[in-house]
Amino acid sequence: MSTSGMNYAPAPIPAPVVKENEFIFAAIGLDHGHIYGQCEGLIGAGGTLKWVYDPDEKKMDRFSKAFPFVKRAKNETEILEDKEVKLVTGAAVTSERCALGLRVMDAGKDYFTDKAPLTTLEQLALAKEAVIRTGKKYMVYYSERLHVETAIFAGQLIEQGAIGKVIQVIGLGPHRLSAKTRPEWFFEKEKYGGILCDIGSHQIEQILFYTGAKNATIVRSQIANYHNPEYPGLDDFGDAMLVCDNGATGYFRVDWFTPDGLQMWGDGRSFILGTEGFIEQRKYMNLGTKDGSAHLFLANGKEETHFNVFGKVGYPFFGELILDCLYRTEKAMTQEHAFKAAELCVKAQMQAVKIS
Amino acid sequence: MSTSGMNYAPAPIPAPVVKENEFIFAAIGLDHGHIYGQCEGLIGAGGTLKWVYDPDEKKMDRFSKAFPFVKRAKNETEILEDKEVKLVTGAAVTSERCALGLRVMDAGKDYFTDKAPLTTLEQLALAKEAVIRTGKKYMVYYSERLHVETAIFAGQLIEQGAIGKVIQVIGLGPHRLSAKTRPEWFFEKEKYGGILCDIGSHQIEQILFYTGAKNATIVRSQIANYHNPEYPGLDDFGDAMLVCDNGATGYFRVDWFTPDGLQMWGDGRSFILGTEGFIEQRKYMNLGTKDGSAHLFLANGKEETHFNVFGKVGYPFFGELILDCLYRTEKAMTQEHAFKAAELCVKAQMQAVKIS
């Protein structure tokens, strides 16, 4: 057993891909805090954040403190009419993300939304049609893979053959509820989309990505409200099994049961089983230790290794996305993949058996 | 965060419950190495191992080295006719375990078999009928709970309310294949029963036990032979979802993909989610460390604690079983529970969708 990787190491941290004003973007819709991660990711890759707009002045106030150089638009139109803006990123209420995306794409700009990117199959059909009509992108911030260093490194290890062919992915996505800090829409199912659509979207995207599948079938999905009767619209638990088109399989659980004694909002894990080894990610904490985040464990025929990759991997998605927008490529994420994950999230929720 | 439990600690290690010759037992059927654990457990609780029998002399030779005081019987009948023998423990080929049990019970003795205790619903019906007819016990060595200190401690914590009401159990039961060291019957499905019946039995028993359920429905089960085409009878992967009669749910994965670089035959885990906290068991190793076995992690409203309970919990099942046999009680395990786990293992295997 080695305690630092002997045979494997992360690829170098990506550098910014453009200079100031070479890729100008704006933020519209600040309903979910993920918008900060979306903007930080793009800025870190060289993007220039020019505008922000949200109908709620308080949300704009808070945003302006984090990004003091940003211009506050009077309305959405002011941004959509600015020809300098190449991309709009947003974290609107989940059920409104598609409508915003349609307006953005129809204005000739690429769209980069928080996950889940939409909540119904009707929205998905509109989004697909708009991509064809406008030639623009409808990209999604699946942050639990794209903005987590162990998740990126796991992808690199799989690509290098460190665990052979991936046959199964298990994802655990617990979250702290903190109900009193949440907005009303967080508890309205037609707005947040249900737990399998909402935080389940991270998991389904990871199952598709790590298995390399183009498609999957939701063979079983479940939701429950086990312990929060005062919020009848909340699913506090959900899980699902998927069978992928390439024969691999996946299981995930998501829940709102992170207890207050835990050091972190959630002990997110990912177990990736391959024919020649396995990977475990302890993304945000190493349970029962004070060792910080970004722990990845690799075991295969030759080694059992604990990697701490905090600050060592970076987030190549954002630079790739900027270049994809500039050069109309699909290196960061294909449109097909982004939509397939969205479709399966909606289907997992639609098919879910309510078990409690 | 605390690194040793402040609010919780294991119950005292149980002492032997009987003196020499107060509980005499015998071993018949040495096909699986679990027989050593079964005998050690009973001896540790005060039981007296008098006889051994297996038609294979080499297996008896090896057994006699581990237990030099044991008498080698000429045949099974010599043991079954010995009125001193209260219980026969065995680890026959899985598909033959029920037939042995019927002979044992019909001879007026309790039976304690390795898991899985049987491989078909027809055998289950015969076993249930024999229990009624003879008044004897058909108990099962579900070793991954009964003979694992974290597993016992987890049960104690749940009973003390440390995580509230249990709503879900996830079990991961990876095993190293070591195909060349395995007997032929290991690869013949009608003999070992299929992966969900065989090593899945540990997992289903734990789901029932930790959730406190009396029954459950297998809502989805899957098997595969992903990477061992030379052994067509082997399931090298299996997983299943259960919904319990009390509304709790369970998922487990079992597989034969433990890679050679891992320090242990399998990184067995158990994640128990409750309304007020959760428990993780790292039963046999703490991945990426040299910290040995028996790691349990507890998080709830007050704490996040790492317990190493190696040598601190013991295995109360065996003493309880001896007393149950002597006093006809059911403290170690009810017959209903033992049979229900067996039934669900067989059903999980029968219903399994072959995905590869």
Side-chain angles (χ1 to χ4, degrees):
Chain A
M1 179 175 32
S2 58
T3 51
S4 66
M6 295 184 298
N7 299 310
Y8 297 96
I13 294 188
V17 296
V18 287
K19 298 197 185 104
E20 199 174 348
N21 292 322
E22 286 181 359
F23 185 81
I24 290 171
F25 72 100
I28 300 177
L30 310 179
D31 291 286
H32 196 292
H34 276 169
I35 191 66
Y36 293 89
Q38 293 161 239
C39 292
E40 285 161 6
L42 290 169
I43 291 168
T48 301
L49 174 60
K50 180 172 178 182
W51 294 103
V52 63
Y53 177 71
D54 189 281
D56 182 341
E57 290 283 339
K58 281 186 186 162
K59 289 199 182 79
M60 288 224 277
D61 289 346
R62 194 189 145 208
F63 190 85
S64 297
K65 277 184 191 151
F67 304 103
F69 44 82
V70 74
K71 290 172 74 171
R72 293 166 69 134
K74 288 191 294 290
N75 51 46
E76 189 181 292
T77 310
E78 191 173 6
I79 293 173
L80 296 184
E81 290 181 346
D82 180 347
K83 291 212 179 340
E84 278 194 345
V85 173
K86 296 277 182 276
L87 174 145
V88 171
T89 191
V93 169
T94 315
S95 59
E96 297 166 17
R97 287 173 188 169
C98 178
L100 172 58
L102 299 180
R103 297 194 298 275
V104 167
M105 291 189 289
D106 279 328
K109 303 175 193 319
D110 292 313
Y111 181 51
F112 177 44
T113 178
D114 186 21
K115 64 37 46 191
L118 41 80
T119 56
T120 69
L121 295 180
E122 291 70 28
Q123 292 171 15
L124 177 63
L126 290 171
K128 284 184 172 180
E129 194 271 330
V131 164
I132 293 168
R133 184 177 70 245
T134 64
K136 295 299 164 188
K137 294 178 184 292
Y138 191 116
M139 287 287 110
V140 186
Y141 181 62
Y142 292 112
S143 57
E144 293 186 22
R145 185 176 64 82
L146 304 174
H147 222 160
V148 170
E149 291 186 292
T150 60
I152 301 298
F153 184 40
Q156 295 173 0
L157 288 171
I158 291 166
E159 198 173 344
Q160 291 167 54
I163 61 168
K165 183 172 152 48
V166 173
I167 56 183
Q168 198 215 20
V169 176
I170 293 178
L172 303 185
H175 287 63
R176 184 170 284 135
L177 183 56
S178 305
K180 293 194 175 127
T181 70
R182 301 285 183 178
E184 275 182 32
W185 67 270
F186 182 89
F187 300 103
E188 296 172 38
K189 199 170 287 192
E190 68 281 9
K191 292 191 176 168
Y192 77 90
I195 193 170
L196 297 175
C197 178
D198 177 16
I199 53 179
S201 62
H202 295 293
Q203 303 296 333
I204 289 176
E205 195 277 333
Q206 285 172 86
I207 290 170
L208 290 177
F209 180 79
Y210 291 130
T211 61
K214 291 274 186 194
N215 201 351
T217 304
I218 311 289
V219 293
R220 172 79 184 181
S221 62
Q222 308 183 141
I223 55 172
N225 183 324
Y226 275 119
H227 202 55
N228 290 279
E230 66 276 37
Y231 300 108
L234 177 72
D235 304 325
D236 60 21
F237 177 95
D239 68 347
M241 276 170 85
L242 285 75
V243 175
C244 299
D245 61 356
N246 59 2
T249 182
Y251 169 80
F252 71 88
R253 181 190 89 200
V254 283
D255 69 78
W256 291 102
F257 282 106
T258 293
D260 286 344
L262 200 78
Q263 63 184 292
M264 187 55 63
W265 56 266
D267 183 7
R269 304 279 186 104
S270 166
F271 300 87
I272 307 173
L273 180 65
T275 52
E276 313 295 337
F278 66 85
I279 289 167
E280 177 181 352
Q281 296 178 51
R282 298 181 194 157
K283 294 181 173 184
Y284 316 118
M285 52 176 287
N286 189 8
L287 183 59
T289 76
K290 297 181 177 178
D291 297 345
S293 65
H295 298 271
L296 184 145
F297 300 79
L298 167 68
N300 59 23
K302 293 186 179 155
E303 61 184 296
E304 175 188 334
T305 306
H306 174 190
F307 297 87
N308 187 315
V309 295
F310 180 79
K312 295 181 183 164
V313 178
Y315 311 105
F317 171 80
F318 300 95
E320 290 169 354
L321 176 61
I322 289 174
L323 295 177
D324 280 350
C325 291
L326 292 174
Y327 301 109
R328 311 319 292 170
T329 50
E330 290 204 311
K331 290 183 183 168
M333 178 180 290
T334 66
Q335 188 62 66
E336 186 186 0
H337 175 83
F339 278 153
K340 182 54 70 177
E343 174 194 327
L344 293 174
C345 301
V346 172
K347 286 184 172 171
Q349 188 73 36
M350 287 171 67
Q351 296 175 17
V353 176
K354 187 159 171 60
I355 54 171
S356 182
Chain B
M1 180 173 34
S2 57
T3 51
S4 65
M6 295 185 298
N7 299 310
Y8 297 97
I13 292 189
V17 297
V18 288
K19 298 198 184 101
E20 199 173 349
N21 294 322
E22 286 181 358
F23 185 80
I24 291 172
F25 73 100
I28 300 177
L30 310 179
D31 291 286
H32 195 293
H34 277 168
I35 191 67
Y36 292 89
Q38 293 162 238
C39 292
E40 284 161 7
L42 289 169
I43 291 168
T48 302
L49 174 60
K50 181 173 178 182
W51 294 103
V52 62
Y53 177 71
D54 190 281
D56 181 341
E57 289 284 339
K58 281 186 186 163
K59 290 199 181 80
M60 287 224 278
D61 289 345
R62 194 190 145 206
F63 190 84
S64 296
K65 277 184 190 151
F67 304 103
F69 44 82
V70 74
K71 290 171 75 170
R72 292 164 71 132
K74 289 190 294 292
N75 51 45
E76 189 180 293
T77 309
E78 191 173 6
I79 294 173
L80 296 184
E81 289 181 348
D82 181 347
K83 291 214 179 338
E84 278 194 346
V85 173
K86 296 276 183 278
L87 174 146
V88 171
T89 190
V93 169
T94 316
S95 58
E96 297 166 18
R97 288 173 187 168
C98 179
L100 172 60
L102 299 180
R103 297 194 297 276
V104 167
M105 291 189 289
D106 279 328
K109 301 175 195 316
D110 292 313
Y111 181 51
F112 177 43
T113 180
D114 186 22
K115 64 42 41 194
L118 42 81
T119 55
T120 69
L121 294 180
E122 292 70 28
Q123 293 171 14
L124 177 63
L126 291 171
K128 285 184 171 178
E129 194 271 331
V131 164
I132 293 168
R133 183 177 71 245
T134 65
K136 295 299 162 188
K137 294 177 183 292
Y138 190 115
M139 287 287 110
V140 186
Y141 182 62
Y142 293 112
S143 56
E144 293 187 21
R145 185 177 62 83
L146 303 174
H147 222 161
V148 170
E149 290 186 291
T150 60
I152 301 298
F153 185 40
Q156 294 173 359
L157 288 170
I158 291 166
E159 198 173 346
Q160 290 167 54
I163 61 168
K165 183 171 152 48
V166 173
I167 56 182
Q168 198 216 21
V169 176
I170 293 178
L172 303 185
H175 287 64
R176 183 171 285 136
L177 183 56
S178 305
K180 293 193 175 128
T181 70
R182 301 287 183 177
E184 274 182 33
W185 67 269
F186 183 89
F187 300 102
E188 295 172 38
K189 199 170 288 193
E190 70 279 12
K191 291 191 176 169
Y192 77 90
I195 193 169
L196 297 174
C197 178
D198 176 18
I199 53 179
S201 63
H202 294 293
Q203 302 296 334
I204 288 175
E205 195 277 334
Q206 285 172 86
I207 290 169
L208 289 177
F209 180 79
Y210 291 130
T211 61
K214 292 275 187 193
N215 201 351
T217 304
I218 311 288
V219 294
R220 171 80 184 180
S221 62
Q222 308 183 140
I223 55 171
N225 183 323
Y226 276 118
H227 202 54
N228 291 279
E230 67 276 37
Y231 301 107
L234 177 73
D235 303 326
D236 61 20
F237 178 95
D239 67 347
M241 276 171 83
L242 286 75
V243 175
C244 298
D245 61 356
N246 59 1
T249 182
Y251 169 80
F252 71 87
R253 181 190 90 200
V254 283
D255 68 78
W256 291 102
F257 283 106
T258 293
D260 286 343
L262 199 78
Q263 64 184 291
M264 187 54 62
W265 56 266
D267 184 7
R269 305 278 186 102
S270 167
F271 299 87
I272 308 173
L273 180 66
T275 52
E276 313 296 336
F278 66 86
I279 288 167
E280 176 181 353
Q281 298 178 50
R282 298 180 194 157
K283 294 181 174 184
Y284 316 118
M285 54 177 285
N286 190 8
L287 183 59
T289 76
K290 298 181 176 178
D291 296 345
S293 65
H295 298 272
L296 184 146
F297 300 79
L298 166 68
N300 59 22
K302 292 186 180 155
E303 60 184 297
E304 175 189 333
T305 306
H306 174 189
F307 297 87
N308 186 315
V309 295
F310 181 79
K312 295 181 184 163
V313 178
Y315 311 104
F317 171 80
F318 300 95
E320 290 170 353
L321 176 61
I322 288 173
L323 295 176
D324 280 350
C325 291
L326 291 174
Y327 301 109
R328 312 317 293 168
T329 50
E330 290 203 310
K331 291 184 182 168
M333 179 181 291
T334 67
Q335 189 62 66
E336 186 186 0
H337 175 82
F339 278 153
K340 182 54 71 179
E343 174 193 329
L344 294 174
C345 302
V346 172
K347 287 184 171 171
Q349 188 74 36
M350 287 171 67
Q351 296 174 18
V353 176
K354 188 160 170 59
I355 53 171
S356 181

